[in-house]
Every structure is written in structure tokens, then in C-alpha cells.
Amino acid sequence: MTTNSPVPPDLFDRALIARRRARAAQGPDFVTELVLADLGERIGTINRRFEKAALIGPGIADADPVFGTVDSLEIVPTLAGASDDMPALAGSDYDLIVSVLDLQVVNDVPGTLTRLRRLLRPDGFFVAAVLGGRSLAELRSAWIAADSEFAGGAFVRVAPFMDVRDAGSLLQRAGFALPVSDTDTHSVRYADALKLMGELKSLGAGNPMMEKPVRPVTKSQMMAAVAAYPVDEDGRITATLEIIWLSGWGPDESQQKPLRPGSAEMSLADALKTKD
């Protein structure tokens, strides 16, 4: 007898995020532009031409990326009025799929990665840029301090982002071969915390959680968060932006495989022996 495992509740309200982004300023935001510029360099280092590629993400509808080794590129905006985790790709059998700043608001990351991997050809390449756990850490701490003072406890007001330590295991769990993850960290300066929060709102990047505080934020609470935000020596503030890069390949027999346990011709003990 088998029993179905309970389905975990959704963390992110993707329908709400889609509505907010629809009202937000059009065109790629500066974070998307930064990622796309880095992405072009990363793909250019791979010694291969990609005949059929797909670029997915919430801020790419008007993007014009330059990938010199890509012959045909399908651009698939996500969160365009739809709440489903999986982007509406037109086909399958891609030899390159690129995800730009979408996975951090996906409810079922392992399932979505698995479905994307199944759309790759054998030895097809997948790369994703995701906001990492250190992003907006200063703002998160400021709100925790303000909520503790005015509401007697902390609320999740800044989305929980992916930890780089989990990135490689997520790719392995989804069936990707040769998974790799690394991070880039950027510091963005603002006049004050209100300017930062205003920009986040203009990008449709408000609180994306399904469970939100019932009480609205008061002016005193807002100003407490502003006061709790660390200020630099010049009176401005710094916001940390961490980008996690994930990459992996569709499994293929031609790929390098790890040696089977016990198949080495020399033992580790022998290899470490010093010669007289």
C-alpha cells in the first residue's frame, strides 16, 4: 500500500508577483542587465555553438542579449500573468536553456529544474542566475529590528533566497551531470533606506510571500526600519546583492565519469609515500 506524501504549501504568491511586475516599469531592470552582461561572457567561454537555445526569466521581454555562439534564441518571459512555476517553452530538445532571476520565486525548485533538464538534448547545457541568501541582508535585519520593537516579533518581509551551499545538491537532485555553482557579490549604494525600498517597489519586488502580516506597516514602523539600517561614513547606505550561478549538463554517455570505487591502480597510501 502506498500513500501520497503531503504537498508542501506554496511559499511564494506568484500570481501576486506577476500582477506587481505588470504594473512595474517596463524593460529590463538594472539587476537583469547586470546578469545578462555577465551571462554573455560566461556562455562565450564554452567552446561550442548552440543551435537551439531558450532564455527564460521575469524581466527579459525587451531584452536583447548578445550570445555570439547561439544560432536561434527563444525568449520566454515568466511571471507574465501566470502563476505556474514552469515557463511556457514552445518546444523541447534544446541544447541551451538559460534561467535569469526566476528560480528564487519558484515554489518547487527541484521539480522545475527536473522538468527543464528533461527539455535538454543529451549533453545540452543549463545555466541559471539566482539571487543568493546574502542579498538584501541589511534590509532584512532592519525590518527584524523594527518588527521586534513595534509588533513583538519578526515577520518575513524580504524573500528567503537560495543558499549557495544548496545549489549544487539541487542540480544533482534534478539529474544534471557535472553540476557547478559559484557566486558574485555586488554592493549597490543608495541615498537612504527609503530610496532602496522605493526602487524595490517600482520593480514589483515587494513582499512575495503567501503568508503576510495582517496589520499594515505604520509610518513609525517604517521609520524604525530606516533608522535600523546601517549607514556608511558618507551618510549613504549599501545594499548587498549576491548572484548565485548554477550550471549543469544533460546526462550523456560521452561525458567524463568519476572512477568506480576500488578501480584506482594505486592506493592513496602508496601515492602519499615519500621517497628517500
Side-chain angles (χ1 to χ4, degrees), residues 46-270:
I46 301 173
N47 187 23
R48 172 183 298 196
R49 290 207 66 83
F50 298 102
E51 297 177 3
K52 182 181 179 182
L55 174 67
I56 60 180
I60 61 166
D62 299 318
D64 187 22
V66 178
F67 302 147
T69 56
V70 173
D71 295 332
S72 175
L73 180 64
E74 176 187 347
I75 295 181
V76 184
T78 58
L79 291 172
S83 59
D84 186 56
D85 282 350
M86 188 65 184
L89 290 160
S92 60
D93 204 30
Y94 297 93
D95 52 4
L96 172 65
I97 296 179
V98 180
S99 173
V100 174
L101 302 175
D102 185 52
L103 288 174
Q104 69 263 6
V105 288
V106 163
N107 287 298
D108 181 11
V109 176
T112 300
L113 285 173
T114 299
R115 288 190 283 174
L116 289 172
R117 192 260 303 161
R118 289 171 179 164
L119 296 177
L120 283 175
R121 298 174 182 171
D123 205 33
F125 187 56
F126 172 78
V127 59
V130 188
L131 290 180
R134 288 187 290 168
S135 296
L136 302 178
E138 304 88 351
L139 182 61
R140 184 180 292 109
S141 297
W143 272 114
I144 289 174
D147 285 338
S148 298
E149 178 182 353
F150 284 86
F155 301 101
V156 180
R157 298 189 184 275
V158 179
F161 299 123
M162 185 182 297
D163 192 307
V164 66
R165 293 171 294 184
D166 300 327
S169 61
L170 284 169
L171 289 169
Q172 287 182 317
R173 181 177 170 184
F176 285 98
L178 309 174
V180 175
S181 61
D182 64 275
T183 64
D184 288 333
T185 303
H186 306 270
S187 296
V188 187
R189 307 288 311 287
Y190 292 89
D192 52 49
L194 285 176
K195 292 291 186 182
L196 166 60
M197 288 186 270
E199 178 162 69
L200 291 174
K201 183 177 180 180
S202 72
L203 296 174
N207 188 342
M209 310 303 292
M210 290 291 289
E211 294 188 8
K212 301 179 184 63
V214 176
R215 296 179 180 177
V217 175
T218 64
K219 182 178 180 181
S220 298
Q221 201 170 352
M222 174 74 74
M223 297 315 297
V226 172
Y229 201 106
V231 179
D232 299 335
E233 292 183 358
D234 62 358
R236 297 169 66 83
I237 66 160
T238 298
T240 299
L241 187 66
E242 181 186 39
I243 307 295
I244 298 177
W245 289 92
L246 315 174
S247 63
W249 298 83
D252 185 70
E253 287 298 320
S254 66
Q255 292 165 347
Q256 187 175 5
K257 305 286 192 304
L259 292 173
R260 297 189 308 277
S263 63
E265 296 181 0
M266 179 183 292
S267 70
L268 179 61
D270 290 337

